[in-house]
Amino acid sequence: GVLTVAVGFASQTSASNIISGLFLLVDRPFQIGDIIQIGQTSGVVHSIELLSVKLQTFQNHLVRIPNEELIKSQVVNFTYWPIRRIDIAIGVAYKEDIGKVRRILMEVASANPLSMEEPEPIFMFSGYGDSAINLMFCIWVKKENYLEAMNSVKQEIKEAFDRNGIEIPFPQVSISTSSVTEPFPVTVHRGK
């Protein structure tokens, strides 16, 4: 009796995965070689089978995802379109000239051979932070150049800021006492 119930449940699950697999074949939200994310799992589609899809993660793990779960979940396909946008969050010191910063960033994008001219780069003022003016700089690249472009543009921004004296601040904490009290000494003890 228990075996019959187990086989019945397994058959029901298999049938559901097969039907879901047929929906995936018709809908084609991704293909072999695409980079996708399902929940917290992301990787390259290794195979699309009757019962499941297999992903190769970026840590080189094989993850098998039942087709029924794919149909019920949100699937993000990072490589569906031929181009991708790289979003780079940048903080600059409050003393900086934002127009100058924008000009430098646009020059970096223009000089990078992987950055596309169309669509053109995007410069956004995203807010006032605790220790920096927060900016977002976005460039468009061909999907196959995504990682190389992301690394090279970030390095080139740092180098361009250094050349032009643009300060990238880091969080700092100031401790002050009232004006009536004397400054208190700070002693650093090194543990053994």
Side-chain angles (χ1 to χ4, degrees):
V2 172
L3 183 60
T4 304
V5 170
V7 169
F9 275 121
S11 299
Q12 184 180 5
T13 302
S14 294
S16 177
N17 281 320
I18 290 170
I19 293 167
S20 298
L22 294 174
F23 280 119
L24 286 174
L25 290 173
V26 171
D27 190 35
R28 293 190 179 274
F30 51 81
Q31 58 187 356
I32 293 173
D34 281 351
I35 298 172
I36 65 171
Q37 179 177 338
I38 300 102
Q40 298 299 312
T41 305
S42 59
V44 179
V45 178
H46 183 266
S47 65
I48 303 170
E49 299 172 2
L50 198 57
L51 296 175
S52 65
V53 168
K54 292 179 181 164
L55 296 183
Q56 179 182 10
T57 69
F58 299 113
Q59 295 79 27
N60 205 30
H61 302 153
L62 180 68
V63 178
R64 179 187 172 276
I65 302 171
N67 289 336
E68 182 180 21
E69 185 178 330
L70 286 165
I71 291 295
K72 293 178 178 178
S73 302
Q74 177 179 330
V75 177
V76 180
N77 187 337
F78 295 105
T79 51
Y80 187 81
W81 307 111
I83 63 173
R84 291 183 68 183
R85 192 177 84 182
I86 298 173
D87 297 343
I88 304 169
I90 303 168
V92 297
Y94 275 94
K95 67 179 179 66
E96 302 300 346
D97 176 349
I98 300 302
K100 179 181 177 183
V101 171
R102 182 185 187 283
R103 190 170 54 256
I104 291 168
L105 290 171
M106 292 299 185
E107 288 170 1
V108 167
S110 178
N112 188 297
L114 302 177
S115 175
M116 300 175 69
E117 292 179 16
E118 286 295 326
E120 63 183 27
I122 302 166
F123 175 88
M124 291 181 282
F125 184 97
S126 55
Y128 299 102
D130 292 336
S131 59
I133 294 175
N134 297 322
L135 308 170
M136 182 67 69
F137 186 60
C138 311
I139 63 167
W140 293 89
V141 297
K142 293 180 179 175
K143 65 181 179 183
E144 60 270 19
N145 296 333
Y146 183 81
L147 287 176
E148 184 182 352
M150 182 171 55
N151 288 327
S152 65
V153 167
K154 286 181 177 180
Q155 179 178 338
E156 289 159 11
I157 288 171
K158 171 69 167 76
E159 291 167 355
F161 280 10
D162 288 348
R163 278 193 310 273
N164 290 277
I166 303 295
E167 181 184 344
I168 302 174
F170 54 91
Q172 300 179 33
V173 176
S174 297
I175 300 174
S176 61
T177 60
S178 70
S179 60
V180 177
T181 60
E182 292 291 320
F184 56 89
V186 176
T187 307
V188 177
H189 297 279
R190 299 183 189 268
K192 293 184 179 182

